[in-house]
Amino acid sequence: MAASGLSAEVDVGQVVLPGDVLLLPAAPNADGERLRLGPSSAPRGRLLCGPGLRRCAAGLLVTKCGLLRHRPPAGAGTGGGAYWVDSQQKRYVPVKGDPIIGIVTAKAGDIFKVDVGGSEQASLSYLAFEGATKRNRPNVQVGDLVYGQFIVANKDMEPEMVCIDSSGRANGMGIIGHEGLLFKVSLGLIRKLLAPNCEIIQELGQLYPFEIVLGMNGRIWVKAKTVQQTLIVANILEACEHMTSEQRKQALAKLSES
């Protein structure tokens, strides 16, 4: 089956299928040819190729079925930005830089094995915590929840995660407290909750004060003032995926009255 040529800009928000080739915006040159992903494309701005897409000579090759998404570049630059395919897959595939919630399952020497919900466990060094040294080791036990990000994630190597950023700071990452509730949702809902100015999180915050940690691997940890409030927040978050905005507001209004 021959791959079809689609305009990346025009098809944002539309369904794309594996084998489709997305053509990038036309470059401002005399012959009007499509911009190729080569050295000559650098002046157009940096292009990030996200999950579900792969670079090819003609543009971007679609590898998963789903909705095409695009995030424009920061600043006033033209072209570039990030393209990805938003699909409803159930199994999480590790991606470098993704924030995730893991469960420590074993300790092998100086390395912790962490269940991240993928096809294999990730490794976590004891030095991958803020302020950790050979003498000052973090107190990590089997069964602990850790919030971190991937620094190695590809099909040929074991995933490796850390609990520090590029500056060596925790920046909110590390061991999650033993209290609270951990539950799993779809990857599509996680992406919706992680969107800037997410209405769901803002509306829940007006109902109850709570702490929340979101992992791109479909795991959510929440902790409210009481166990009952924690369960209510968790149930609303799980149900949000199949509720309209109006239905969600009605449910929250009933809870605030009770």
Side-chain angles (χ1 to χ4, degrees):
M1 178 178 177
S4 57
L6 306 172
S7 170
E9 284 188 333
V10 173
D11 287 292
V12 170
Q14 301 297 317
V15 175
V16 291
L17 301 174
D20 288 342
V21 175
L22 303 177
L23 304 177
L24 299 175
N29 51 22
D31 57 14
E33 289 184 353
R34 294 287 183 175
L35 177 66
R36 303 297 181 181
L37 292 179
S40 61
S41 65
R44 293 282 296 173
R46 185 182 179 191
L47 176 71
L48 298 178
C49 184
L53 298 173
R54 190 173 65 200
R55 295 174 185 265
C56 65
L60 300 176
L61 177 66
V62 180
T63 59
K64 287 195 297 188
C65 176
L67 298 177
L68 180 64
R69 302 296 188 188
H70 176 248
R71 184 179 67 243
T78 59
Y83 285 94
W84 72 96
V85 177
D86 192 357
S87 60
Q88 293 293 337
Q89 66 186 53
K90 294 184 178 180
R91 179 177 286 274
Y92 174 70
V93 178
V95 177
K96 183 178 179 181
D98 270 3
I100 47 95
I101 298 176
I103 304 173
V104 179
T105 59
K107 181 180 179 181
D110 296 331
I111 299 294
F112 300 104
K113 293 295 183 180
V114 183
D115 173 20
V116 295
S119 58
E120 59 179 326
Q121 296 188 343
S123 62
L124 173 66
S125 171
Y126 76 93
L127 292 174
F129 293 84
E130 182 179 1
T133 63
K134 290 185 177 180
R135 290 189 176 183
N136 183 29
R137 295 179 177 236
N139 183 23
V140 181
Q141 305 295 329
V142 173
D144 284 350
L145 301 179
V146 289
Y147 178 60
Q149 63 180 352
F150 286 116
I151 58 171
V152 174
N154 60 61
K155 62 181 180 179
D156 300 318
M157 298 179 65
E158 179 186 51
E160 183 179 346
M161 64 178 291
V162 296
C163 293
I164 51 177
D165 58 18
S166 58
S167 303
R169 299 292 184 181
N171 196 20
M173 293 181 283
I175 302 173
I176 301 176
H178 293 284
E179 298 179 354
L181 175 67
L182 178 73
F183 59 99
K184 188 171 177 59
V185 298
S186 71
L187 303 184
L189 178 58
I190 284 290
R191 285 190 287 267
K192 184 186 297 184
L193 296 175
L194 285 172
N197 302 319
C198 175
E199 292 184 354
I200 300 174
I201 301 296
Q202 292 177 359
E203 292 170 0
L204 276 173
Q206 296 174 0
L207 181 64
Y208 301 125
F210 64 93
E211 301 175 52
I212 186 169
V213 180
L214 302 169
M216 282 295 292
N217 54 342
R219 290 174 178 168
I220 299 178
W221 177 88
V222 294
K223 177 188 175 185
K225 189 175 181 179
T226 65
V227 174
Q228 182 183 14
Q229 291 180 2
T230 300
L231 292 173
I232 291 174
V233 171
N235 288 333
I236 292 176
L237 287 172
E238 286 183 313
C240 275
E241 187 174 13
H242 308 291
M243 296 171 66
T244 64
S245 177
E246 187 61 31
Q247 289 173 336
R248 185 179 68 248
K249 290 179 180 179
Q250 290 178 0
L252 292 174
K254 290 181 180 179
L255 287 171
S256 61
E257 293 172 358
S258 61

